[in-house]
Amino acid sequence: MLRFNALRTAMALCLFAVGGAAVAEQSSGTFNVTARIRGNCLVSAQNLAFADYVPAAGDVDAESQISVRCTTGTAFNVALNGGSTAGGSIGQRLMASGPHVLQYNLYTDAARTTLWGDGSEGVVVSGEGEGMSPAKAQIKTVYGRVPDSLANQDAPPGDYSDVITVTVTF
């Protein structure tokens, strides 16, 4: 019986050794993972709505905001064109009501001394991106004025409008 148990133990050890020796072989390699983040900016703008202008009662001021989101570290410039009304320019923007026009302008400062322009006339507003998430948006305020000019005092009643194009260069 002792011999039988010893034989059985020896056979079990042989089977274990054979099973343990059947380890799979391995080989390994590597690969690179790459990505590029391109500079990007998104812009959105609020409408600028002046209160009613009453001729000979003084200038009418209003404000609007432009939101700019750019990838972190991306330098940008915000430019505003002269508007869509024929005859309008950076130096004298115009709103139209049919054939009639109303003078106005857009400024970079609350004192309304520096015209916001397109880079060839007036100035552009600069910034540097802090990220594309909405929480990282940079807000640029547009200061508008309808001056109580002689030309505006002679404008007939009506609803006047213009369209400004905002361009962000980065």
Side-chain angles (χ1 to χ4, degrees), residues 8-21:
R8 207 164 64 188
T9 301
M11 285 179 61
L13 285 174
C14 284
L15 287 174
F16 178 74
V18 169

Side-chain angles (χ1 to χ4, degrees), residues 4-166:
F4 179 72
N5 282 341
L7 183 60
R8 207 164 64 188
T9 301
M11 285 179 61
L13 285 174
C14 284
L15 287 174
F16 178 74
V18 169
V23 174
E25 294 186 28
Q26 293 182 343
S27 179
S28 63
T30 61
F31 63 93
N32 293 325
V33 177
T34 63
R36 175 185 300 173
I37 296 178
R38 297 183 62 135
N40 190 30
C41 291
L42 299 174
V43 63
S44 62
Q46 294 177 341
N47 292 331
L48 178 66
F50 289 102
D52 289 350
Y53 167 66
V54 178
D59 298 340
V60 177
D61 292 342
E63 295 178 9
S64 173
Q65 293 184 332
I66 298 171
S67 172
V68 182
R69 294 186 289 157
C70 293
T71 49
T72 302
T74 301
F76 65 86
N77 291 318
V78 181
L80 304 180
N81 74 346
S84 63
T85 300
S89 67
I90 301 299
Q92 186 57 77
R93 291 176 168 100
L94 301 172
M95 289 182 271
S97 177
H100 306 290
V101 295
L102 185 67
Q103 298 175 338
Y104 78 101
N105 231 319
L106 304 175
Y107 302 88
T108 62
D109 60 317
R112 291 166 174 81
T113 57
T114 306
L115 290 173
W116 196 325
D118 61 3
S120 64
E121 187 179 352
V123 301
V124 296
V125 174
S126 300
E128 184 172 308
E130 297 178 0
M132 294 297 289
S133 69
K136 298 293 184 171
Q138 293 188 33
I139 305 302
K140 306 298 181 183
T141 302
V142 178
Y143 300 93
R145 172 169 285 164
V146 173
D148 195 24
S149 64
L150 293 177
N152 282 351
Q153 290 176 5
D154 290 340
D159 293 326
Y160 291 78
S161 65
D162 192 24
V163 177
I164 295 293
T165 299
V166 180

